[in-house]
Amino acid sequence: MQTAPLHAKPVPAASPLLAGSNPAQALLLTENAALTNGPPLLFQRLTAKEREEVLREGQKRVVYRGKMLFSQGTPHDGIFLIESGRIRVFYIAPSGREITLAYWSAGNFVGGPELFGQGQHVWSGVAATNSVVVHLTGKTLRRLIAQIPGFAIGLIEGLTFKGKCYSALAQMLGTRSVTERLAHLLIHLADTYGVKEEGAIAIGSAFTHADLAHMVGATRQWVTISLKRLQEQGVLKAEKAKIVVYDLDALHVMRGDR
Amino acid sequence: MQTAPLHAKPVPAASPLLAGSNPAQALLLTENAALTNGPPLLFQRLTAKEREEVLREGQKRVVYRGKMLFSQGTPHDGIFLIESGRIRVFYIAPSGREITLAYWSAGNFVGGPELFGQGQHVWSGVAATNSVVVHLTGKTLRRLIAQIPGFAIGLIEGLTFKGKCYSALAQMLGTRSVTERLAHLLIHLADTYGVKEEGAIAIGSAFTHADLAHMVGATRQWVTISLKRLQEQGVLKAEKAKIVVYDLDALHVMRGDR
DNA sequence: GCGGAGGTGTCGATTAGTTGCCTCCTTTGC
DNA sequence: GCAAAGGAGGCAACTAATCGACACCTCCGC
């Protein structure tokens, strides 16, 4: 997730959102599987025609990896609908400590919890991969809500969903130890990105220790130490940019649900 | 905040909500003053007639101090509108650790983040004082939303507001130390319940150390220690059921905003 | 091939925060 | 009036997690 220069990949011409069939995901720290498996897609309830209309109203923007989409403290105006790529939403405290709320994929929108603006962003958003987003201003949103009933419902569903995400994160951070949170995250990663590999599950995602640390709300070093400890216990094996989980059940025990 | 038996106070006959003029508050751990000063009241946008209609549709319920209003894990159906009293919304992890989201007063509703049900409660709600609530089921909510436009907007505002609360809490828990969080809370308490007293501010609220601990996400003992430390520094003086703050500025420094 | 940047592993010191236990003070019930 | 119960507060031992620093490794651009 470094911000190193990348060969700018060509931006796809046709919007995948028009098809309305992408397996949208949200990657975040939670114990509620329902939250991460099926975030409600904003476009799900719309006809092809309505989808086109929404996209026409918005302003398409290409965001390269490492570039900021919006920043905490800056004025808020509307939302960003993700067409492709992955957006990391995070917050940095005055002290420099950082917490990642979630990684959002195509079909979701970011830039909440407010919809119409009139405030400031409380989170920041950065492109975790080269991404394409559609910016819908507060003004445009009002118009679309009035015009397309399904769009309004989709937005409310989206807001409700985000509410659940925030609240799940707060619960995790408030009541679970870092170790438990890490176990949670690993189970979730295994679920989402895991590939079965002769009895074990390989997580091939390119998350650095720092990325994981931000997701569980801990320091990079502590994640390194914890992973090493888990490795010594035979629960998993950490190779570079790849984690192989041998004993998923042990993680569940650690998490506190078995 | 103990659940000791209380002499049941008479329940007021007329609903204060009909007047639509109570100074509603939400007590929670956040750095955003706007969040706590003015939570949007559900009834603010309604005419007296509409208010009556909503109250007629709901089922009134008296909840005595210490009694549960809803519990995490139980099926969710609709929301509870607070007519009088104070409801504490909290979560208990399997390990027994507990975190308080907020204390909500008259004019607010609890039982989110979902509106219509079809899920389970993720938080629990308990009466912190003898309270009167109006239960609006998911079905009733749908009807009211369709009938009264202002009610729908009020609900969306409420949801958005709750989203901000959750997200503020997550940010606090993820990036601030317990000490900083306690400073936050004390400032906020001084703001809300504080009474000026010859240069100092007296917080007379009957919050126990355990209550404070649950609000900042720490143990009762650590709050005791921290308060004692602050007392040694001359920042405040903790008497029983009363905290006198001498040096509010020191708390601000501790919080990291000066 | 060299230098830089970013990621990882590790160590030691320190602190933040927890756990368990104990005492004191109120309240309640008889 | 007194015993029992339970909450509130305090002390001490312990551990979880942070902080800062540094060495190493690998990938990448030049």
Side-chain angles (χ1 to χ4, degrees), chain B:
Chain B
M1 293 298 141
Q2 64 277 45
T3 60
L6 260 202
H7 310 293
K9 292 209 190 105
V11 173
S15 168
L17 285 181
L18 287 177
S21 65
N22 14 21
Q25 293 166 340
L27 180 60
L28 55 104
L29 179 68
T30 163
E31 61 184 323
N32 190 346
L35 279 191
T36 51
N37 291 344
L41 296 186
L42 193 48
F43 274 19
Q44 225 159 26
R45 297 171 175 277
L46 304 190
T47 64
K49 206 172 166 184
E50 288 170 336
R51 278 178 193 146
E52 276 177 44
E53 190 179 341
V54 171
L55 288 181
R56 203 167 43 234
E57 291 286 335
Q59 200 182 355
K60 193 174 282 198
R61 215 172 119 190
V62 180
V63 199
Y64 292 109
R65 175 154 77 140
K67 295 293 174 200
M68 297 293 286
L69 186 55
F70 53 92
S71 301
Q72 59 201 66
T74 59
H76 179 288
D77 183 23
I79 58 171
F80 298 93
L81 184 54
I82 306 174
E83 201 172 288
S84 69
R86 198 156 57 166
I87 306 290
R88 179 170 79 97
V89 174
F90 66 101
Y91 165 79
I92 301 187
S95 69
R97 284 201 63 142
E98 182 175 337
I99 176 89
T100 295
L101 170 63
Y103 289 82
W104 299 97
S105 306
N108 295 289
F109 65 90
V110 294
E114 186 94 43
L115 271 188
F116 304 121
Q118 296 168 346
Q120 299 189 333
H121 284 285
V122 288
W123 299 89
S124 301
V126 71
T129 65
N130 290 347
S131 306
V132 181
V133 300
V134 178
H135 183 205
L136 299 165
T137 63
K139 202 174 149 196
T140 307
L141 280 175
R142 278 178 215 274
R143 192 167 57 237
L144 288 171
I145 289 172
Q147 277 171 15
I148 311 173
F151 187 72
I153 295 177
L155 276 180
I156 292 179
E157 278 182 350
L159 276 185
T160 309
F161 180 77
K162 279 169 202 300
K164 287 186 202 167
C165 291
Y166 301 136
S167 101
L169 181 63
Q171 292 181 347
M172 290 289 292
L173 292 173
T175 59
R176 308 298 221 276
S177 70
V178 174
T179 315
E180 285 170 307
R181 266 140 49 196
L182 187 60
H184 262 282
L185 181 60
L186 287 171
I187 291 172
H188 181 37
L189 283 174
D191 254 23
T192 314
Y193 300 104
V195 180
K196 285 216 169 155
E197 212 174 62
E198 43 194 83
I201 303 174
I203 304 169
S205 70
F207 288 109
T208 66
H209 289 187
D211 291 328
L212 298 178
H214 290 150
M215 273 195 267
V216 299
T219 54
R220 203 260 317 149
Q221 290 92 323
W222 184 252
V223 169
T224 304
I225 293 171
S226 300
L227 282 179
K228 195 187 157 202
R229 206 171 284 170
L230 289 174
Q231 187 162 342
E232 280 164 5
Q233 290 169 15
V235 175
L236 52 79
K237 188 152 187 288
E239 298 164 16
K240 53 181 172 181
K242 185 177 163 191
I243 298 173
V244 183
V245 178
Y246 296 125
D247 192 351
L248 197 62
D249 230 50
L251 287 179
H252 275 284
V253 170
M254 218 162 288
R255 192 168 88 164
D257 57 20
R258 291 235 176 123

Side-chain angles (χ1 to χ4, degrees), chain A residues 174-185:
Chain A
T175 60
R176 307 299 219 278
S177 70
V178 173
T179 315
E180 287 170 306
R181 272 152 30 206
L182 188 60
H184 262 282
L185 182 59

Side-chain angles (χ1 to χ4, degrees), chain A residues 103 182 185-186 189 205 207-218 223 227 243:
Chain A
Y103 288 82
L182 188 60
L185 182 59
L186 288 171
L189 283 174
S205 70
F207 288 109
T208 66
H209 289 186
D211 291 328
L212 298 178
H214 289 149
M215 274 195 267
V216 297
V223 169
L227 281 179
I243 297 173

